[in-house]
Amino acid sequence: MKLNLLGTLAFSLWLATAAQAQNVPSPKAHFGFNIGDDYQLANYTQTEAYFKKLSASPRTKLVDIGLTEEGRHQWMLIVSSPENIKNLDKYKDISRKLARAEGLTDDQAKALAAQGKAIVWIDGGLHATETVGTHQLIETAYELVSRTDAETMRILNDAVILLVHANPDGQELVSNWYMSQKDPAKRNMNIPRLYEKYIGHDNNRDFFMMNMKESQNITRQQYLEWLPQVVYNHHQTGPAGSVVAGPPYRDPFNYVYDPLLVTSIDALGAAMSSRLNAENKPGYTERNGTSFSTWWNGGLRTTTYFHNMVGLLTEIIGSPTPATVPLVPERLVPSSNTPYPVTPQSWHYKQSIDYSLSLNYAVLGYAVRQRDQMLYNMYIMGKNSINRGNKDNWTLSPKRADSINAAYRKDTPPPTSGGAGGGLGGGRNAGVPVKYYDQVLKDPTLRDPRGYIIPANQTDFPTAVKFINTLVRAGILIQKSTAEFKVNGISYPAGSYVVKTDQAFRPHILDMFEPQDHPNDFQYPGGPPIRPYDNAGWTLAFQMGVKFDRMMESFDGPFKPVPYGELQNPPVQTAASVAKGGYMLSSAVNNSFTIVNDLLKAGAEVYRVPAESGAFYIPASAQAKTVLGTDAILGVKATTLAKAPKGAIKVKNLRIGLWDTYGGSIPSGWVRWLFEQQHFTFERVYAQEIDAGNLKNKFDVLVFVGGAIPSANVRAGGFGEFGGRTPSPEELPAEYRTQTGRVTADKSVPQLKAFLEAGGNIVTIGSSANLAYHLKLPVSNALVETIGGQERPLPGDKFYIPGSVLQVTYDTTQPATWGMPATGDVQFDSSPVFKLSDGSLKPLATYTSATPLRSGWAWGQKYLQNNVAAFMAPVGAGKLYVFGPEITFRAQAHGTFKLLFNQLYAAAK
């Protein structure tokens, strides 16, 4: 009787749930078309309204995770069974406890894993022109909320699914633009501006820095709130001749990962490809069939790896405008990269949506079948990280392997002819004696640190606090000293920060402090290099110029843990209320420039003091007192002076022009955001305005980021090309017509030269160094070789440095480098390097070492030695500042921001 009653109740509950599911409006009922219909896109306003309708279902909870950069609400739709929805806090707490692995025994972790639900993140639309992502999200939400089949019901029972709109602003822009064309055949994605307010495609390069509001919203949920076991990030487009690229990914993977993470990615990838094969959906490619690896930190899915989360990326073909799968003969041959090739055919949007649904269900199906194991595995990885941080540990890497080989070769005579003896791998079972392993990988100086101390008395402590906040947002446990303390004989002041490595997200900590050691990766011995998916090296502490000490032994002190997620502020620096001689701000502190901009806008006088490395001198005034009081929260110490310093040079607000282009330049967008953060006043300038001339009547300084200036086709090769077609003005709405066109040698360069000769200053970054060649300055490409009497750029098998961190030496006597250290780190990304042949050109930064690599991959770095990274050239009454490295790189390179900021005052008369 009892069993019958229970069965009746269960059946009644199922009927109630099924009835409610039937009341959920279909996408067609809401949008007026089926998701996947050709030539149809939904915008974010419509999607937001639909998700609000879905939130009426007992299977859902709609959560506002924050505002976007354009002020829209960013939604996360949580989907699970009605019972689970009532207990979300319980399952979130279990997920967090297992992920952090703090104070748990294995038995306790297993018990929690048995109680928990698989937490699976699925997002869409991060890159807004990749419209399959947003639309599969809509269809997935509907399917999970409305379906009552056994597979869906099991998923709902054993998983909590987080469906996240990754870029609401972009969806609104792209869909509205596409649908604005009445003739469906003419609809296109050629949007006139970046689909994220500032950084467009680079919104998937911001996930350890978290500058953008959308990145902060997403990472708060990932690393502080939910800590999901799986993060699935949908993208486009798949490699030609395939339908979708996905896991497993190609080598290399980052050496700080737990090996369980790597095999877990492979397992999910197998489930995804197997599902498609079972459903007769060909075209899944993986491993070396794609360009995607798991080396880099910074993407939505890649940063998850450093948090022991199984990050998944797929890149699928498809557009609301029908297309074709092209014929790529080599992809027609089945292999481990593409077991089930797709044949050439026409392709419709609905097919991509169907594939995406299958992939989502494959991921969810695996997660629920392996629910308790996935939860427990995340605990195991966290526990392993804690254990590694509590003892001596050596991270394996290519340099360590090379050191073992070098030590062995040093002691071993070369092989005699006719025999293999004495060489590495000489016989079938040949190897290197274990003593060489011990010699290298038990060297105490090569151990991983037990932790790091960030001293509070470093010059630019406000920037160090910004660095700490990137770790706070990433879910790292930070400690702060409550009193002065001493470690290894060194005293540290109260307020210093401590980051220990005995915590679950240790891989991320090491990745932010330690150099990356990318392997030498070539297509074949002596062949061309294989470009990394993104950067090869990025160590954030280096990029930001943060001073820290590595602690190789366990240490302790008067440390107080900072609550998870609690952002830090530098100590408020209140200047004395009375200063007869005025105030001084250090030029070595980035926030000083923000205060100076506020002072100038308030009408206060500001000077620079050459004898103090360009420190800012502010005479006492009511305006100065007010601004310094308001900006005290920026943490910059205003030194009071009894009298004015000698030799001070007055500065003023300059009229700044920042180059941009139709469709939006990502590097320019980063600088635009940076200027806004630092309170610079500026205007964007486009090619048409440059070509019109009279630039000195409008601007004092022009800034050209990488990609602005085309190659001059100099004898030794120019740097970078800016390609692609922009529409003609008559094709566009009036507001965008003045933005078309490009900087050209025949029309633009003469106007830029006239601007310089009239006393204007120009700053170029990266490939825009091409301007120096257009102007025929006495400068040449340093990275060349002479073959048959002709100079040509060094080939990749001799010199290749993708995105990596290198060290330069600065000439700190130059106003352009005021506030910089004698040596510093720069972000190099196939950057131009120079030889100067005239004394009128002043080197600002030089590669003085034969081994300047600090983090990443530098093949043939010896060619950099004694060559110039940055210089200043007088042109008429003006100055051209040329910076080869990416000094504003993704608004991460705080350590080199001053190389731009200084030039925004240098033109003052």
Side-chain angles (χ1 to χ4, degrees):
M1 180 68 178
K2 185 176 182 180
L3 288 175
N4 288 339
L5 180 59
L6 288 174
T8 301
L9 289 172
F11 182 69
S12 299
L13 180 62
W14 182 86
L15 281 177
T17 303
Q20 288 169 325
Q22 296 304 315
N23 292 329
V24 171
S26 69
K28 185 168 186 178
H30 175 79
F31 297 103
F33 55 84
N34 292 308
I35 299 300
D37 282 355
D38 288 341
Y39 302 110
Q40 297 293 331
L41 289 180
N43 67 19
Y44 185 70
T45 298
Q46 297 165 330
T47 304
E48 180 181 40
Y50 185 60
F51 271 43
K52 287 181 177 178
K53 290 180 179 179
L54 294 183
S55 70
S57 167
R59 298 183 184 184
T60 67
K61 181 177 181 180
L62 189 61
V63 178
D64 185 349
I65 63 173
L67 296 177
T68 67
E69 288 291 350
E70 294 185 8
R72 292 182 177 84
H73 292 274
Q74 189 168 9
W75 296 103
M76 175 172 70
L77 184 69
I78 304 175
V79 184
S80 194
S81 70
E83 186 63 26
N84 291 345
I85 292 293
K86 295 174 185 176
N87 293 283
L88 288 179
D89 287 344
K90 171 185 174 181
Y91 299 121
K92 181 192 292 187
D93 186 57
I94 289 173
S95 184
R96 281 197 297 229
K97 284 180 178 177
L98 290 171
R100 290 178 180 151
E102 296 169 347
L104 292 178
T105 66
D106 290 354
D107 287 342
Q108 289 171 331
K110 287 178 180 176
L112 285 172
Q115 299 172 42
K117 305 297 179 183
I119 312 299
V120 180
W121 171 289
I122 300 175
D123 62 56
L126 186 66
H127 293 158
T129 51
E130 300 170 7
T131 59
V132 172
T134 46
H135 288 70
Q136 64 80 25
L137 201 67
I138 297 168
E139 186 68 17
T140 298
Y142 172 66
E143 297 288 338
L144 288 172
V145 172
S146 64
R147 281 170 54 169
T148 57
D149 59 278
E151 181 183 28
T152 300
M153 300 306 285
R154 180 181 180 183
I155 287 171
L156 295 172
N157 185 65
D158 288 341
V160 174
I161 306 118
L162 312 177
L163 301 176
V164 182
H165 274 277
N167 183 7
D169 299 342
Q171 185 189 358
E172 189 78 0
L173 169 69
V174 169
S175 295
N176 286 347
W177 180 265
Y178 182 85
M179 296 300 293
S180 66
Q181 176 58 253
K182 292 183 179 180
D183 181 354
K186 293 182 179 180
R187 290 176 182 167
N188 64 78
M189 302 288 181
N190 299 325
I191 56 174
R193 41 149 289 202
L194 296 170
Y195 51 62
E196 196 279 344
K197 181 177 179 180
Y198 296 100
I199 61 172
H201 192 275
D202 262 9
N203 63 356
N204 199 27
R205 304 295 184 270
D206 188 43
F207 283 95
F208 65 65
M209 196 71 207
M210 294 165 279
N211 283 318
M212 298 296 113
K213 289 183 173 65
E214 295 90 342
S215 308
Q216 294 169 13
N217 297 340
I218 287 169
T219 54
R220 188 184 307 115
Q221 298 303 316
Q222 289 179 336
Y223 306 137
L224 294 169
E225 291 289 329
W226 279 98
L227 287 73
Q229 290 78 57
V230 180
V231 172
Y232 185 3
N233 182 214
H234 282 261
H235 281 272
Q236 289 180 259
T237 184
S242 68
V243 174
V244 59
Y249 305 107
R250 71 175 181 88
D251 286 337
F253 61 79
N254 200 294
Y255 308 118
V256 298
Y257 298 157
D258 192 292
L260 182 55
L261 173 75
V262 180
T263 54
S264 296
I265 296 169
D266 292 352
L268 263 295
M272 296 164 78
S273 59
S274 293
R275 175 102 181 200
L276 292 185
N277 292 342
E279 295 179 359
N280 196 30
K281 293 174 178 171
Y284 189 97
T285 189
E286 58 193 63
R287 303 184 191 276
N288 292 326
T290 80
S291 62
F292 307 110
S293 69
T294 52
W295 173 260
W296 168 68
N297 194 342
L300 193 158
R301 62 102 187 177
T302 60
T303 303
T304 64
Y305 299 145
F306 300 84
H307 295 74
N308 303 321
M309 299 173 187
V310 181
L312 306 172
L313 165 88
T314 53
E315 298 262 350
I316 195 167
I317 65 172
S319 167
T321 301
T324 59
V325 177
L327 173 61
V328 179
E330 54 268 31
R331 287 197 182 270
L332 293 178
V333 181
S335 69
S336 58
N337 294 330
T338 311
Y340 186 8
V342 66
T343 55
Q345 58 187 274
S346 61
W347 195 264
H348 293 270
Y349 202 34
K350 182 64 163 60
Q351 291 172 274
S352 297
I353 299 298
D354 289 345
Y355 268 63
S356 297
L357 264 290
S358 295
L359 291 165
N360 285 341
Y361 264 75
V363 170
L364 291 168
Y366 181 92
V368 299
R369 286 191 299 274
Q370 301 291 328
R371 175 186 57 82
D372 54 345
Q373 192 63 55
M374 291 203 74
L375 285 160
Y376 186 70
N377 282 355
M378 197 166 185
Y379 157 76
I380 287 293
M381 289 186 278
K383 176 187 173 184
N384 290 345
S385 286
I386 293 170
N387 290 340
R388 291 184 186 111
N390 271 324
K391 64 182 182 181
D392 288 346
N393 189 84
W394 287 262
T395 296
L396 301 173
S397 72
K399 285 182 181 177
R400 302 286 166 82
D402 290 344
S403 296
I404 291 171
N405 285 332
Y408 175 61
R409 289 192 181 101
K410 183 178 179 182
D411 295 344
T412 306
T416 59
S417 60
L424 281 174
R428 172 176 288 186
N429 297 314
V432 176
V434 173
K435 70 175 184 177
Y436 294 100
Y437 173 89
D438 295 341
Q439 182 178 321
V440 172
L441 284 165
K442 291 191 178 178
D443 180 346
T445 65
L446 300 179
R447 289 171 297 168
D448 296 334
R450 300 287 183 89
Y452 305 88
I453 299 175
I454 296 93
N457 56 358
Q458 60 186 279
T459 301
D460 194 356
F461 189 56
T463 291
V465 173
K466 292 176 183 178
F467 170 72
I468 286 294
N469 282 337
T470 68
L471 301 179
V472 169
R473 286 193 165 105
I476 303 301
L477 177 63
I478 308 295
Q479 299 181 69
K480 188 175 183 180
S481 65
T482 57
E484 183 180 353
F485 65 100
K486 186 178 287 188
V487 177
N488 297 336
I490 301 174
S491 293
Y492 298 94
S496 297
Y497 288 98
V498 171
V499 185
K500 293 189 175 183
T501 59
D502 59 343
Q503 49 182 302
F505 300 157
R506 176 179 179 271
H508 190 75
I509 297 170
L510 293 178
D511 207 57
M512 295 294 99
F513 282 97
E514 296 296 319
Q516 285 78 49
D517 180 15
H518 194 283
N520 293 321
D521 194 10
F522 293 89
Q523 291 184 21
Y524 50 85
I530 300 173
R531 183 168 183 82
Y533 170 63
D534 196 85
N535 282 345
W538 51 84
T539 308
L540 187 58
F542 295 176
Q543 285 197 69
M544 294 185 72
V546 174
K547 307 303 179 187
F548 64 90
D549 289 332
R550 293 179 175 90
M551 297 294 113
M552 309 307 292
E553 305 284 353
S554 296
F555 65 104
D556 216 334
F559 308 148
K560 181 180 180 181
V562 173
Y564 280 111
E566 185 177 282
L567 296 175
Q568 301 296 288
N569 296 300
V572 173
Q573 300 285 351
T574 305
S577 58
V578 178
K580 292 183 179 180
Y583 311 89
M584 191 92 84
L585 301 177
S586 171
S587 61
V589 182
N590 285 340
N591 280 358
S592 292
F593 293 85
T594 308
I595 298 172
V596 165
N597 290 332
D598 292 344
L599 288 163
L600 292 171
K601 290 174 184 177
E605 292 186 346
V606 179
Y607 296 77
R608 301 205 75 168
V609 186
E612 298 291 337
S613 191
F616 295 99
Y617 164 61
I618 305 101
S621 68
Q623 299 101 314
K625 180 181 177 182
T626 298
V627 171
L628 290 173
T630 301
D631 284 355
I633 60 173
L634 296 177
V636 182
K637 184 177 181 180
T639 304
T640 56
L641 303 176
K643 59 180 180 180
K646 294 181 179 180
I649 303 169
K650 190 174 183 180
V651 300
K652 65 178 182 179
N653 268 323
L654 296 187
R655 298 168 300 166
I656 302 168
L658 172 63
W659 170 85
D660 208 339
T661 187
Y662 176 83
S665 158
I666 293 171
S668 179
W670 277 119
V671 175
R672 178 160 50 98
W673 179 84
L674 181 59
F675 279 172
E676 291 180 11
Q677 299 302 303
Q678 301 285 162
H679 300 179
F680 283 100
T681 298
F682 67 99
E683 293 181 21
R684 282 189 276 180
V685 58
Y686 295 85
Q688 288 183 42
E689 187 173 4
I690 292 171
D691 293 349
N694 296 317
L695 292 169
K696 192 63 181 70
N697 292 335
K698 306 172 188 176
F699 303 105
D700 298 306
V701 58
L702 295 174
V703 179
F704 291 91
V705 296
I709 310 293
S711 169
N713 291 319
V714 294
R715 181 175 54 181
F719 301 103
E721 292 286 353
F722 187 71
R725 175 191 174 275
T726 58
S728 58
E730 57 271 15
E731 296 178 69
L732 299 172
E735 63 183 300
Y736 299 114
R737 291 174 185 170
T738 60
Q739 298 177 9
T740 59
R742 295 201 183 88
V743 173
T744 61
D746 57 341
K747 290 185 178 181
S748 311
V749 170
Q751 299 300 339
L752 296 177
K753 183 178 181 182
F755 172 73
L756 286 162
E757 291 175 337
N761 287 358
I762 292 178
V763 178
T764 68
I765 302 170
S767 68
S768 286
N770 288 326
L771 183 59
Y773 297 108
H774 285 290
L775 296 174
K776 303 188 185 308
L777 298 179
V779 58
S780 60
N781 181 358
L783 302 176
V784 296
E785 63 180 0
T786 302
I787 303 291
Q790 296 292 320
E791 284 187 346
R792 68 177 190 183
L794 289 168
D797 61 344
K798 290 186 177 180
F799 180 86
Y800 183 69
I801 306 180
S804 296
V805 182
L806 306 184
Q807 188 174 81
V808 298
T809 298
Y810 292 107
D811 178 359
T812 56
T813 66
Q814 300 292 326
T817 57
W818 278 340
M820 298 300 292
T823 60
D825 296 324
V826 297
Q827 190 70 23
F828 187 105
D829 190 3
S830 301
S831 300
V833 183
F834 314 98
K835 285 186 182 295
L836 309 182
S837 54
D838 190 301
S840 65
L841 277 61
K842 303 296 183 185
L844 303 175
T846 305
Y847 300 103
T848 54
S849 169
T851 54
L853 178 66
R854 290 270 281 154
S855 180
W857 181 21
W859 183 256
Q861 58 180 311
K862 65 183 181 181
Y863 289 102
L864 294 173
Q865 189 171 22
N866 297 325
N867 289 316
V868 173
F871 65 91
M872 184 278 290
V875 181
K879 296 182 179 69
L880 173 66
Y881 296 92
V882 177
F883 296 97
E886 297 294 330
I887 61 172
T888 58
F889 183 73
R890 293 175 180 167
Q892 297 169 9
H894 288 246
T896 50
F897 287 170
K898 291 184 286 291
L899 296 174
L900 173 59
F901 296 165
N902 277 331
Q903 317 331 318
L904 306 181
Y905 303 108
K909 298 292 187 287

